[in-house]
Amino acid sequence: MKWIKRYGPYLVLYGVAFLWIIPILWMADTAFKPTRDIFSIPPKWIPSHFTTEHVERLFAEWPFARWLLNSLIVASFVTLGSLVVSVPAAFSFSRLHWKGRDAVFMFLLVFMLLPWQVNIIPLFFMMTKFKFLNTYQGVALPMIAMPIGVFLLRQFFINIPRDLEDAARIDGCSSLGVLLRVILPLSKPVLAAFSVYIFNYAWNEFFWSMICLRKPQMVTLPVGLKILQGAFEIDYGLILAGAFMASLPSLMVFLLLRRQIIRGFTLAGSGVKG
Amino acid sequence: MGLKGRGTIPAPFSKMRNRIGRFFYRHPGVEGFLFALPYMALWAVFLAWPVVYGIYISLFDWDPLRGSKFVGLANYLELFREPRFWNAVVNTFKFAGMTIPLILGLGFVFALMVWGWGRKRRGIVVVQASLFFPYLLNVSIVAIVWKWLLERDVGLFQHYLNSIFPSAPVFLTEPAWALPAIAVATAWWLAGYRMLVFQAGLEEIPVELFESAEIDGARPYHKLVHLILPLIKPSLLFALVLTTISAFRTFGQVLIMTEGGPGWASEVLALYLYRVGFDYFDIGKAAASGVVLLFLILVITLLGVRILGLKSELQ
């Protein structure tokens, strides 16, 4: 009885966690076992031998490295772009006063709740007109325009004590000075959380990326995997090698920065409450 | 130039700086607006305008090559007469009805588990990390892995299920089971994020409340119903609205796992929109279904915000 009380919770916790990552373990397992083992019945947990043939084929026959690079460029572009436009906007919506500010912000709020991907048809034709199809800026710009960042940052900026700003202004700070010297230094955790959230969002975005990027050389990882999967419906070795290699960057970054990432998502997900 | 300690600024610039500074000092409203302007411009072009433009396109027999023809509401009427459209609407609601409770329920149970049992236990981080990690994968990875797990005969889950229950269906090829299977995959993908949010909510509850409840002889069940649930209700409701919105725009999982099949059995609205627009090139109709989907989400969100009294949450 005492034993159960002491170790029971551990058993449940680790049991659930293990069950939860079986799909990931199975993905890694499939990616590195010979095709014969992949289709064996019953499923073979331990491969007869370890092989990298699928991964080698992935890099030899597909522009997988290029997809990785594209994802990295798009996600960085979106993150930086968002920071550059959202920070001053959030500052303006929280600490500066101008006519119609709150009405405009309410309007933004409604749009935050609407998923912009639903607009792919008009966006597609707009981007055709701008000649932005198959370009990084084409995929990135609608994501940069997402209001979530402005919303999140505003929530935080609003709670910074007024006195700090007043003191800076008395010392001769302009609004820009207040933003750069008072607000931003105090907002490092929120800016980090925001960056983690947006980077992950852009890194994983699928619907619009698939519509906007149509050249196999230009696509990001999620779209590339879709191409891979569509080309060989049953070549599971290759497809899962692709899926595994695509999840590897996330896994490595997560193992390195677990604490920061979890804190970032917690802040982004619940910070909305203020 | 009157700016002591700022000798590094060349004279003409400092003069300009002064002039700009004076202008903004006299017109603070202009300055505030300018700070918001870059974002607002992007927002107007890439978010607000497409909505208007989408409504515009939906009123046309759209053909950018040979010229478009204004048809009024004909696209909408055609849409409403089409069984495949209604099928997609029903599937979208069914899918939402399945994923939302799964995601929120699992997320809440995980949060309770990790929070309640994890406080005095080492190694809880590993558990939390394992439960959260799937959220960081992209939708293609999730869909590919689950399609493989559910593959006939050779898929890991499908195989063991069929060896325990020989009559268990092959999920992804069975019209009644394809959508639930996708819902489970989606819950696996997203529940970890809800766990984090709920866990943050739980951690905000003062420990003293639990202590005094224990002194009063409260059972775990009482603590859950009378203490935990009322206190994290705001984060539950907020998560409900966000999860609902994301359920309604589900696309990638369905496209990769079943392509809407078998037949149209798992076709949801976003996938229908994609098919009509980019496979059948009926742009006007696709835009119309986009407007319908947007409208649906708007109504549900506003209703949710109204009914659940979330207005204060959002401000």
Side-chain angles (χ1 to χ4, degrees), chain A residues 105-106 108-110 112-113 148 151-152 154-155 158 271-274, chain B residues 234 237-239 241-242 245 301-302 304-306 309-315:
Chain A
F105 187 71
M106 272 316 284
L108 278 187
L109 256 188
V110 174
M112 189 188 82
L113 297 169
I148 175 87
F151 185 64
L152 204 75
R154 172 183 173 270
Q155 254 351 67
I158 263 185
V272 200
K273 289 183 297 147
Chain B
L237 294 182
F238 195 72
V241 172
L242 293 188
I245 295 169
T301 312
L302 291 182
V305 170
R306 185 36 76 81
L310 280 179
K311 211 151 189 191
S312 56
E313 288 294 307
L314 292 174
Q315 277 165 353

Side-chain angles (χ1 to χ4, degrees), chain A residues 20 92 145 175 222 233 236 258, chain B residues 31-32 39 47 140 147 151 188:
Chain A
W20 206 246
S92 170
S175 295
E233 191 69 24
Y236 271 108
R258 195 205 72 244
Chain B
E31 187 191 41
Y39 174 76
L47 247 157
S140 302
K147 186 166 188 254
E151 192 67 40
W188 177 77

Side-chain angles (χ1 to χ4, degrees), chain B:
Chain B
M1 308 276 110
L3 283 168
K4 270 180 203 154
R6 289 195 188 281
T8 47
I9 300 172
F13 285 107
S14 83
K15 214 176 253 166
M16 199 162 76
R17 205 185 131 107
N18 276 341
R19 212 172 289 154
I20 294 171
R22 213 175 304 132
F23 176 79
F24 283 146
Y25 186 75
R26 286 191 194 135
H27 309 271
V30 177
E31 187 191 41
F33 183 72
L34 282 181
F35 270 94
L37 190 62
Y39 174 76
M40 293 305 295
L42 274 179
W43 174 84
V45 176
F46 293 107
L47 247 157
W49 173 242
V51 174
V52 180
Y53 193 39
I55 297 174
Y56 178 77
I57 292 178
S58 75
L59 302 175
F60 282 81
D61 183 3
W62 193 264
D63 190 339
L65 297 179
R66 271 168 292 170
S68 313
K69 213 168 66 210
F70 181 78
V71 292
L73 294 175
N75 284 322
Y76 291 91
L77 293 178
E78 198 182 320
L79 209 58
F80 294 149
R81 266 194 311 245
E82 197 176 304
R84 188 170 169 182
F85 168 75
W86 289 111
N87 167 68
V89 172
V90 171
N91 279 343
T92 307
F93 275 95
K94 267 194 207 158
F95 185 78
M98 289 182 283
T99 39
I100 296 166
L102 261 178
I103 293 175
L104 295 182
L106 279 170
F108 187 62
V109 170
F110 288 169
L112 273 182
M113 239 169 54
V114 171
W115 167 80
W117 283 340
R119 261 173 305 175
K120 280 171 233 138
R121 288 188 167 79
R122 266 178 297 155
I124 194 70
V125 208
V126 182
V127 175
Q128 190 197 36
S130 314
L131 295 176
F132 173 68
F133 181 67
Y135 179 74
L136 296 178
L137 301 176
N138 67 52
V139 67
S140 302
I141 300 174
V142 173
I144 284 171
V145 169
W146 278 84
K147 186 166 188 254
W148 170 226
L149 288 168
L150 295 173
E151 192 67 40
R152 181 189 293 274
D153 298 330
V154 288
L156 186 70
F157 287 177
Q158 194 65 55
H159 175 84
Y160 285 119
L161 263 171
N162 282 121
S163 51
I164 301 169
F165 309 103
S167 60
V170 178
F171 291 96
L172 292 179
T173 56
E174 199 76 41
W177 286 101
L179 214 50
I182 301 171
V184 169
T186 308
W188 177 77
W189 182 31
L190 300 177
Y193 187 32
R194 298 293 166 227
M195 169 191 75
L196 283 192
V197 174
F198 294 152
Q199 215 189 323
L202 288 170
E203 262 149 27
E204 272 172 27
I205 303 176
V207 190
E208 297 83 49
L209 284 182
F210 287 100
E211 284 165 359
S212 58
E214 254 157 51
I215 291 169
D216 291 342
R219 315 279 303 162
Y221 163 79
H222 293 134
K223 277 190 260 175
L224 179 67
V225 174
H226 298 295
L227 198 67
I228 295 177
L229 280 180
L231 281 173
I232 74 158
K233 198 174 140 207
S235 38
L236 274 176
L237 294 182
F238 195 72
L240 177 67
V241 172
L242 293 188
T243 315
T244 308
I245 295 169
S246 83
F248 269 84
R249 57 152 202 255
T250 301
F251 173 74
Q253 305 95 298
V254 187
L255 178 72
I256 291 174
M257 286 176 75
T258 64
E259 295 181 349
W264 314 327
S266 58
E267 192 170 67
V268 289
L269 262 175
L271 184 59
Y272 172 85
L273 187 162
Y274 171 75
R275 285 258 183 274
V276 172
F278 291 93
D279 285 352
Y280 310 144
F281 304 109
D282 196 342
I283 306 297
K285 200 160 93 181
S289 62
V291 172
V292 172
L293 183 51
L294 210 62
F295 184 73
L296 259 180
I297 293 172
L298 186 67
V299 168
I300 290 170
T301 312
L302 291 182
L303 269 182
V305 170
R306 185 36 76 81
I307 294 172
L308 305 171
L310 280 179
K311 211 151 189 191
S312 56
E313 288 294 307
L314 292 174
Q315 277 165 353

Side-chain angles (χ1 to χ4, degrees), chain A residues 175-219:
Chain A
S175 295
L176 188 64
V178 171
L179 175 61
L180 293 179
R181 286 159 210 233
V182 180
I183 306 282
L184 284 189
L186 287 170
S187 316
K188 275 182 200 144
V190 185
L191 292 176
F194 169 65
S195 309
V196 166
Y197 185 89
I198 298 282
F199 190 92
N200 180 68
Y201 182 88
W203 178 263
N204 288 339
E205 207 286 328
F206 179 69
F207 198 4
W208 169 240
S209 308
M210 187 177 113
I211 303 296
C212 183
L213 305 172
R214 328 215 102 208
K215 276 198 203 127
Q217 281 294 322
M218 282 306 291
V219 302

